[in-house]
Amino acid sequence: MSVSSAAVENSLVAIATSTRQAARTLASLSTQQKNEAIEAIAQALEAAAADITVANEADLQAALADNLAKPLYGRLKLNAVKLKGAIKGVRDVAKLPDPAGAVQIHRELDNGLELKRIACPLGVLGIIFESRPDAVMQISTLAVKSGNGVILKGGKEAVRSCQALVKAIRQGLTNVGLDPNAVQLLTTREETRALLELDSYVDLIIPRGSNAFVRFVQENTRIPVLGHADGICHLYVDVAADLEKTAKIAVDAKVGYPSACNAIETLLVHKEIAAKALPILAEALQQEGVKLLGDDATRQVLTDIQAASESDWSTEYSDLILAIRVVDSVDAAIDHINTYGSRHTDAIATEDQATADRFMAQVDAAGVYHNCSTRFADGFRYGFGAEVGISTQKMPPRGPVGLEGLVTYKYQVVGNGHVVATYSGENAKPFTHRDLA
């Protein structure tokens, strides 16, 4: 290990240690105290709004000079309107039920011997993200509400924005007498590598960014990782679809925010309505500047679009590009999605409830929708207040991860001199195992 890398690691250990100490204080706070801290954060962000937007504009100018990819540039923007909405999201978190301290199980094992399963904070979260400075506010607030400390590492393209935001958040914590080290910010690539090695200090890593970025994180740490590598979402247009309704859904799911991970990348159309549906859908999408790619069957109807290749079915464009494929049936659509999809969010447009039920039961994804846009896959829209990320793993938490995904649980057993020997052997006393209110 070089002197410089050793210095970085030692610095990160000190940061993580102070974050864990601050997190212990957060974990002991009442719900009211945590909500007061969140309100103080919101007020501090409002007070620093001018500084934050100036810092973001500087990041945007640098990003243009560096030719930052269009999807990342879109995520980097944090103007006054977007900031105001994000601060409202901060306050919304205060309105949510406190997940920490909830009694999940209360059971009598025997007279005077009781078991409780209590929800408790994870400890220290490591959040690594590209662009997305608004994620700083969402994640910090969720961490405070759930009683966790958080170490944030944004991309270099957002460093000024992140510094201004974290400065305000830490000021808000200080204003209510809390340790600002509960929220920390890292700024260098060397710190990212060092953070991934802190399995004795950090309890969960949540990466938010590109496929390659998330896979890098997953492959370079022993710390549990929560996240998704791809956002390859689909809309299947069934033979029984209402095409006027479907066109609105398709446009919203592709055009509203094409760089979002919940935007559709592939449109599947039933062959029996392809001749009628494709021109209608293509016109609606092309009017919004969407470039269409199609398989052979699609191009027999839409003769002016480019051919889609095999790789297009597994590509997350994060741009105004959409691949279209004609399928023989709902089963073929399900097979395509389960083969090429990323288990993020997929939707069906149909007026046939039985077909919708079949699709929703058999598509393997964190979110499966009927007659609505995939863009609803979002913690705020789900009523979670905000989200730390979206998980496509099978084990929970899955989908948009809010407060409930930031707590674990512990078992507490209280007795009065009880010993296991009483309940074993030839004359073993039976347990009562009676659930208590």
Side-chain angles (χ1 to χ4, degrees), residues 34-46 82-96 134-142 144-145 165 169 380 384-387 403:
K34 287 189 281 189
N35 288 342
E36 289 172 353
I38 291 170
E39 175 57 30
I41 288 171
Q43 291 179 10
L45 288 167
E46 288 173 336
K82 193 172 181 180
L83 177 61
K84 184 176 180 180
I87 294 172
K88 180 182 183 300
V90 167
R91 288 193 164 101
D92 286 341
V93 172
K95 301 173 185 177
L96 298 173
D134 54 324
V136 170
M137 293 174 279
Q138 296 175 359
I139 293 165
S140 297
T141 308
L142 290 170
V144 170
K145 182 72 179 223
L165 288 164
I169 291 167
F380 175 76
F384 295 169
E387 68 187 29
L403 287 171

Side-chain angles (χ1 to χ4, degrees), residues 10-51:
N10 290 336
S11 174
L12 261 291
V13 168
I15 289 172
T17 299
S18 64
T19 305
R20 186 170 292 280
Q21 291 171 343
R24 288 182 182 134
T25 300
L26 285 179
S28 67
L29 297 180
S30 67
T31 300
Q32 180 178 343
Q33 288 172 312
K34 287 189 281 189
N35 288 342
E36 289 172 353
I38 291 170
E39 175 57 30
I41 288 171
Q43 291 179 10
L45 288 167
E46 288 173 336
D51 292 337

Side-chain angles (χ1 to χ4, degrees), residues 222-246:
R222 293 187 297 272
I223 304 169
V225 176
L226 184 153
H228 69 282
D230 297 292
I232 302 172
C233 303
H234 301 76
L235 173 61
Y236 164 58
V237 184
D238 183 55
V239 66
D242 178 321
L243 295 182
E244 181 180 357
K245 183 188 299 182
T246 302

Side-chain angles (χ1 to χ4, degrees), residues 17-290:
T17 299
S18 64
T19 305
R20 186 170 292 280
Q21 291 171 343
R24 288 182 182 134
T25 300
L26 285 179
S28 67
L29 297 180
S30 67
T31 300
Q32 180 178 343
Q33 288 172 312
K34 287 189 281 189
N35 288 342
E36 289 172 353
I38 291 170
E39 175 57 30
I41 288 171
Q43 291 179 10
L45 288 167
E46 288 173 336
D51 292 337
I52 293 168
T53 53
V54 167
N56 184 249
E57 183 58 36
D59 282 335
L60 290 171
Q61 292 299 321
L64 286 174
D66 292 341
N67 295 314
L68 184 69
K70 184 178 177 181
L72 289 178
Y73 185 85
R75 294 168 182 168
L76 179 59
K77 288 183 180 180
L78 184 62
N79 57 25
V81 174
K82 193 172 181 180
L83 177 61
K84 184 176 180 180
I87 294 172
K88 180 182 183 300
V90 167
R91 288 193 164 101
D92 286 341
V93 172
K95 301 173 185 177
L96 298 173
D98 188 346
V103 179
Q104 300 174 342
I105 296 174
H106 188 191
R107 180 170 298 157
E108 178 193 84
L109 305 184
D110 192 12
N111 184 34
L113 183 65
E114 293 186 7
L115 163 75
K116 287 183 180 179
R117 190 169 80 185
I118 309 291
C120 60
L122 290 168
V124 175
L125 313 174
I127 316 295
I128 311 174
F129 54 96
E130 296 175 324
S131 290
R132 305 176 186 271
D134 54 324
V136 170
M137 293 174 279
Q138 296 175 359
I139 293 165
S140 297
T141 308
L142 290 170
V144 170
K145 182 72 179 223
S146 57
N148 291 290
V150 61
I151 301 174
L152 300 157
K153 171 58 179 73
K156 66 177 183 178
E157 68 282 349
V159 65
R160 301 171 186 83
S161 304
C162 292
Q163 287 173 329
L165 288 164
V166 170
K167 180 180 178 181
I169 291 167
R170 287 169 63 92
Q171 184 61 54
L173 292 172
T174 301
N175 289 346
V176 289
L178 294 177
D179 186 348
N181 288 325
V183 179
Q184 305 266 18
L185 177 68
L186 309 181
T187 58
T188 68
R189 180 173 297 179
E190 292 76 16
E191 288 174 320
T192 301
R193 292 302 299 258
L195 176 64
L196 296 179
E197 295 174 2
L198 296 183
D199 51 293
S200 297
Y201 301 89
V202 177
D203 299 286
L204 181 68
I205 293 286
I206 304 176
R208 296 179 63 166
S210 68
N211 180 355
F213 170 72
V214 175
R215 291 198 185 281
F216 170 83
V217 171
Q218 292 170 333
E219 294 167 2
N220 286 276
T221 186
R222 293 187 297 272
I223 304 169
V225 176
L226 184 153
H228 69 282
D230 297 292
I232 302 172
C233 303
H234 301 76
L235 173 61
Y236 164 58
V237 184
D238 183 55
V239 66
D242 178 321
L243 295 182
E244 181 180 357
K245 183 188 299 182
T246 302
K248 293 179 181 178
I249 293 171
V251 169
D252 183 86
K254 184 68 216 181
V255 176
Y257 191 2
S259 59
C261 61
N262 55 17
I264 59 171
E265 307 292 6
T266 301
L267 185 69
L268 303 173
V269 180
H270 195 291
K271 67 176 183 179
E272 291 186 19
I273 61 164
K276 179 180 179 181
L278 286 171
I280 294 173
L281 296 171
E283 181 181 6
L285 290 160
Q286 289 174 328
Q287 282 182 351
E288 299 295 334
V290 180

Side-chain angles (χ1 to χ4, degrees), residues 228 230-234 337-338 340-346 363-368 390-395 398-399:
H228 69 282
D230 297 292
I232 302 172
C233 303
H234 301 76
I337 292 169
N338 288 343
Y340 297 100
S342 60
R343 297 177 176 174
H344 192 299
T345 306
D346 302 290
V363 166
D364 181 11
V368 189
I390 291 182
S391 172
T392 56
Q393 64 188 19
K394 286 293 190 74
M395 294 295 291
R398 198 180 192 198

